[in-house]
């Protein structure tokens, strides 16, 4: 499975609304963020290793983007990278980390519990 990117609140709402039984992870990141860049290939890899889960990402850039800022604000994301897990349209938990090992433990813990 691959990581699907989204750009705005409408897409974010659709992702959350479409969640039923599937465990879903959303990464909030930015291209200018060194920890985000460091953990990105691992997040991509984990999307293949945990096939019953869905993986999404919203990624800011160097340019100001009001719509992405609104998504971050609505999701209460004030630190990046932040990873949020959802199931049945509800947030399960979140973790701000740029550490691949910590991210894998977070995904695996949620996957074992909910996938």
């Amino acid at each position: 499975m691959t990581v699907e990117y989204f750009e705005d609140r409408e897409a974010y709402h659709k992702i959350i609304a479409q969640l039923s039984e599937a465990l879903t992870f959303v990464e909030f990141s930015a291209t200018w963020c060194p920890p985000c860049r460091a953990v990105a290939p691992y997040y991509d890899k984990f999307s293949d290793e945990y096939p019953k889960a869905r993986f999404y990402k919203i990624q800011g850039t160097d340019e100001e983007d009001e719509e992405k800022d609104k998504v971050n604000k609505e999701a209460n994301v004030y630190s990046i990278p932040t990873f949020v897990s959802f199931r049945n349209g509800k947030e399960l938990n979140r973790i701000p980390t740029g550490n691949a090992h910590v991210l894998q433990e977070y995904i695996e813990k949620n996957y074992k519990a909910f996938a």
Side-chain angles (χ1 to χ4, degrees), residues 12-24 85-92:
Y12 178 66
H13 290 172
K14 283 182 183 177
I15 290 166
I16 303 305
Q18 291 173 356
L19 302 178
S20 57
E21 293 297 313
L23 175 63
T24 301
S85 61
F86 295 91
R87 186 156 185 248
N88 294 326
K90 298 194 183 330
E91 181 178 329
L92 299 173

Side-chain angles (χ1 to χ4, degrees), residues 1-6 15 23-29 35-50 53-59 81-86 95 97-101 103-104 106-107:
M1 185 155 201
T2 60
V3 176
E4 294 182 44
Y5 286 75
F6 66 97
I15 290 166
L23 175 63
T24 301
F25 296 98
V26 177
E27 176 186 1
F28 296 84
S29 69
C36 299
R37 289 194 310 262
V39 79
Y42 296 97
Y43 186 66
D44 291 343
K45 178 181 153 209
F46 300 149
S47 73
D48 292 329
E49 292 179 5
Y50 300 93
R54 296 180 182 171
F55 291 77
Y56 295 91
K57 179 187 255 186
I58 184 165
Q59 188 170 42
T82 292
F83 299 87
V84 183
S85 61
F86 295 91
I95 185 169
T97 187
N99 181 302
H101 181 71
L103 176 60
Q104 184 173 21
Y106 167 76
I107 291 172

Side-chain angles (χ1 to χ4, degrees), residues 55-72:
F55 291 77
Y56 295 91
K57 179 187 255 186
I58 184 165
Q59 188 170 42
T61 63
D62 289 339
E63 297 177 18
E64 193 167 320
D65 187 328
E66 188 175 309
E67 192 61 32
K68 288 179 182 174
D69 290 344
K70 287 179 183 178
V71 173
N72 288 345

